[in-house]
Amino acid sequence: MQTDWPTLVAASTDFRRDLHRHPELTWQEKDTSEVIRTSLDALGISFRVCAGTGTVATLAPDAPGRHVGLRADIDALPINEATGLDYSSSHTGCMHACGHDGHAAALMSTAAWLKRHEASLPGPVTLLFQPAEEGGHGAKKMIEDGALEGLDCIFGWHNWPAIPFGKAVCPDGAVMAGNGTFRITLRGAGGHASQPENTRDPVLAASAVTMALQQIISRRITPQNAAVVSVTSIEAPSGETVIPDSAKMAGSIRLANANDRSLIEGLIREITISQAKAYGVEADVEVFPRYDATVNDPSEAAHMREGIAADLGENWHFDQIPVPIMASEDFSYYLKEIPGAFALIGADDGKGHHEPCHSPRYDFNDRLLPIVTRIYARLAGAPLPDQATYLND
């Protein structure tokens, strides 16, 4: 990747679109990692393999200042792309529908720019190309493999289509919620639809459980604490005249306050079992904690806000989206270990970049690449290109 600014911006877009054409699922990012490592080699940046398909690279390792970490995630999602773009996914059933290709491209262009200015960096800068953010706990594995060793702070970002282009959020405290999932199996006794009295209907029980679980948020959690319990699927396949023996349910938990996790998980079990008993049905409940809330360190968040404001202008803050948003991020693992901050940067420029993440019609906004490269460069203390060279990025 070339390091003069206009060429770097163009190369970053090409790099992103190449990754988009060749997405790989969580913990399967072998080719993606190879592309990243080959690019780092070409830039003369040393790196090491971390957590299998992850990559950690460090610039200016002997510089005396504080050691800054910058992170990007690299995995895709099991979604069939429906954008019709000329750089659409070439892998059926796999798509970069969350913009991790863009996150990786922004970090690679940052790598190119920092390498050009490595001698002037005030402190070491470590770049973390992380696998398995989409439910795979990749950040946890990176930490276990030493990715944070020696780092004083860490920064990350996520593109966000619900925020207008040129706006962002980077609060003190929680920016994204914690999450979890649950699975429920209801076991009854099936039979003929004309004789429901001779059955123990798991479909009816599943309906009752679904309604009852909504009371956790409306009646059992204080309204000051943001939380969500969503039943996302009910499976009870049978014929039109057959009541089945069993039904399976699944759902998602979102919470801003970590202290609410055990309460919500306990209530899911309690309510499900009691509702099932009322309908003569037995219930098995499994709850799977996933990520904690992503909680910014106030000092580092202020530092990141300065970088965002320097690039987007003094009116950069978007106050029409409540935080924490109820989506989740495994960047939370890093912020539990060392100070840092995470920002959501707006993508919707009115040119087709409004589709939400995880949609088959989602398209990453490439105009974000030079913006984030500059923000990252500021956080690393690197010189920036003359403003005249990027006014029309």
Side-chain angles (χ1 to χ4, degrees):
M1 187 177 287
Q2 297 296 312
T3 57
D4 66 281
W5 185 256
T7 305
L8 183 148
V9 171
S12 181
T13 298
D14 290 342
F15 185 88
R16 200 283 294 182
R17 294 183 179 186
D18 180 64
L19 290 183
H20 191 87
R21 290 186 187 97
H22 306 99
E24 295 175 297
L25 297 176
T26 294
W27 292 124
Q28 299 176 27
E29 312 93 336
K30 183 177 182 295
D31 292 341
T32 303
S33 296
E34 185 61 29
V35 169
I36 289 168
R37 294 165 189 170
T38 299
S39 298
L40 292 170
D41 265 336
L43 290 168
I45 299 174
S46 61
F47 63 85
R48 73 173 181 90
V49 174
C50 187
T53 49
T55 305
V56 173
T58 301
L59 297 102
D62 299 321
R66 73 172 190 159
H67 192 159
V68 175
L70 304 172
R71 174 267 204 170
D73 38 17
I74 66 172
D75 55 330
L77 286 156
I79 294 174
N80 278 311
E81 183 160 358
T83 63
L85 296 166
D86 59 6
Y87 50 84
S88 291
S89 170
S90 61
H91 298 171
T92 301
C94 187
M95 175 191 175
H96 271 296
C98 204
H100 295 185
D101 51 342
H103 301 165
L107 189 58
M108 185 59 68
S109 57
T110 301
W113 188 256
L114 295 184
K115 182 61 180 179
R116 179 179 179 179
H117 300 281
E118 185 171 21
S120 63
L121 293 176
V125 180
T126 289
L127 314 175
L128 291 78
F129 293 90
Q130 178 212 304
E133 190 281 326
E134 296 289 356
H137 302 267
K140 181 174 185 289
K141 295 298 183 183
M142 293 280 282
I143 293 168
E144 291 171 353
D145 202 7
L148 296 185
E149 289 179 6
L151 270 66
D152 296 307
C153 57
I154 189 167
F155 299 94
W157 75 290
H158 205 295
N159 74 97
W160 208 248
I163 297 175
F165 183 80
K167 301 287 187 177
V169 296
C170 183
D172 295 346
V175 60
M176 299 182 78
N179 68 347
T181 57
F182 58 90
R183 297 175 193 157
I184 297 167
T185 300
L186 299 170
R187 298 188 308 278
H192 203 289
S194 69
Q195 297 175 299
E197 73 278 9
N198 294 328
T199 71
R200 290 182 287 118
D201 188 350
V203 177
L204 185 60
S207 301
V209 169
T210 299
M211 296 300 294
L213 289 179
Q214 301 313 302
Q215 298 175 29
I216 294 174
I217 304 304
S218 66
R219 289 296 181 268
R220 304 296 292 273
I221 300 294
T222 176
Q224 284 76 23
N225 290 356
V228 176
V229 174
S230 292
V231 175
T232 56
S233 70
I234 301 176
E235 299 178 42
S238 67
E240 289 85 346
T241 62
V242 179
I243 293 173
D245 281 333
S246 64
K248 293 184 178 181
M249 305 172 60
S252 175
I253 305 164
R254 306 283 166 160
L255 64 157
N257 189 325
N259 294 328
D260 287 335
R261 185 181 293 278
S262 60
L263 173 62
I264 291 172
E265 292 176 354
L267 286 171
I268 289 172
R269 291 188 176 92
E270 176 187 325
I271 289 170
T272 299
I273 291 170
S274 63
Q275 285 290 317
K277 185 176 181 180
Y279 286 84
V281 172
E282 296 178 345
D284 294 325
V285 183
E286 298 177 286
V287 182
F288 306 94
R290 293 179 66 172
Y291 302 154
D292 285 337
T294 302
V295 182
N296 286 346
D297 175 83
S299 177
E300 301 301 345
H303 188 44
M304 193 169 195
R305 288 194 294 267
E306 290 174 3
I308 294 170
D311 207 80
L312 298 183
E314 62 180 13
N315 296 319
W316 66 272
H317 178 65
F318 187 62
D319 59 5
Q320 297 179 43
I321 185 170
V323 290
I325 65 166
M326 300 314 288
S328 303
E329 244 287 349
D330 79 345
F331 196 82
S332 57
Y333 282 112
Y334 300 125
L335 296 182
K336 290 172 68 176
E337 298 293 326
I338 61 174
F342 192 82
L344 303 175
I345 301 182
D348 184 8
D349 57 2
K351 300 178 180 180
H353 300 108
H354 62 284
E355 292 285 352
C357 296
H358 294 213
S359 164
R361 295 168 297 280
Y362 165 87
D363 181 35
F364 179 85
N365 190 341
D366 288 321
R367 294 174 67 195
L368 291 171
L369 297 174
I371 292 172
V372 174
T373 299
R374 294 191 295 268
I375 291 170
Y376 268 178
R378 286 187 178 91
L379 291 169
L384 292 169
D386 184 275
Q387 188 178 24
T389 67
Y390 63 77
L391 283 175
N392 297 315
D393 282 344

